Amino acid sequence: MSNGIESTGKVMQRKPIDRVIFFCVPAFLLALFILNINADGEVKLAAILGSVGLCVSYYSFLRSGCVSRRYPIEDLIERDGESLIFHYFHRHERQPLKVNADTIYALNFSHRYLGVILDRNGRGFDFHYPHKEAVIKARLQEVLGEYKFNNVKKNV
């Protein structure tokens, strides 16, 4: 363990339907775009309306509570003794980050975002979670404890 960081060896797994949604929707949008370029008349109008509708639906799904319920904040940020474990939501094949709680210098959090800066050197890690700022902040208070959470700089 160097600088309070170590690998946990545990990887967060996504559900198969997520892979289908994240890969098939953009592929289908690309197909509609190509169809839109090559088509005329009613087919072109249908392709435009379909692609706009699909974009809005896809964006709405990603922002919905459905995704945050599938990936509860308790599974994304965990405590293991004196260490905190931060799982990556995107790029889920990455190993989670295990950090000694005493090495955390600052926490930056906002809507769907958490930044962890270690040891006053500006070295940080970014996490994008499907949760609101208040949920992320409450979970950090819970796992760090009130005293440590109050002593860590916030949104620097």
Side-chain angles (χ1 to χ4, degrees):
M1 184 159 121
S2 64
N3 294 334
I5 304 170
E6 65 182 66
S7 175
T8 64
K10 188 169 113 180
V11 177
M12 181 135 188
Q13 297 293 315
R14 287 195 180 205
K15 297 181 175 41
I17 189 68
D18 291 342
R19 289 187 183 148
V20 170
I21 290 170
F22 288 126
F23 293 117
C24 289
V25 171
F28 188 67
L29 282 172
L30 180 63
L32 282 175
F33 177 73
I34 292 169
L35 177 67
N36 188 22
I37 290 173
N38 297 325
D40 289 325
E42 292 178 7
V43 175
K44 187 171 192 161
L45 178 63
I48 290 171
L49 292 177
S51 61
V52 168
L54 193 58
C55 283
V56 169
S57 299
Y58 184 60
Y59 183 75
S60 298
F61 171 75
L62 291 178
R63 307 289 285 180
S64 72
C66 175
V67 175
S68 62
R69 283 190 300 275
R70 270 195 206 156
Y71 300 100
I73 194 72
E74 291 81 13
D75 292 345
L76 296 170
I77 303 173
E78 300 176 316
R79 181 158 186 114
D80 181 26
E82 288 298 312
S83 299
L84 296 181
I85 301 171
F86 298 97
H87 294 274
Y88 289 91
F89 179 67
H90 296 292
R91 295 178 286 177
H92 55 89
E93 66 278 356
R94 289 183 66 178
Q95 294 291 324
L97 177 71
K98 187 172 185 179
V99 179
N100 186 328
D102 295 329
T103 63
I104 296 174
Y105 172 70
L107 296 169
N108 298 321
F109 40 82
S110 64
H111 189 70
R112 300 179 177 268
Y113 171 79
L114 170 64
V116 179
I117 301 173
L118 304 178
D119 292 333
R120 300 178 196 230
N121 64 3
R123 182 175 178 202
F125 300 91
D126 296 321
F127 301 93
H128 299 276
Y129 293 145
H131 298 282
K132 295 181 178 178
E133 177 180 356
V135 174
I136 295 171
K137 183 178 178 182
R139 180 62 180 165
L140 289 169
Q141 283 177 316
E142 181 182 330
V143 296
L144 277 174
E146 200 66 37
Y147 177 75
K148 283 185 183 178
F149 183 80
N150 290 334
N151 289 334
V152 169
K153 294 195 180 293
K154 291 162 204 70
N155 294 325
V156 294

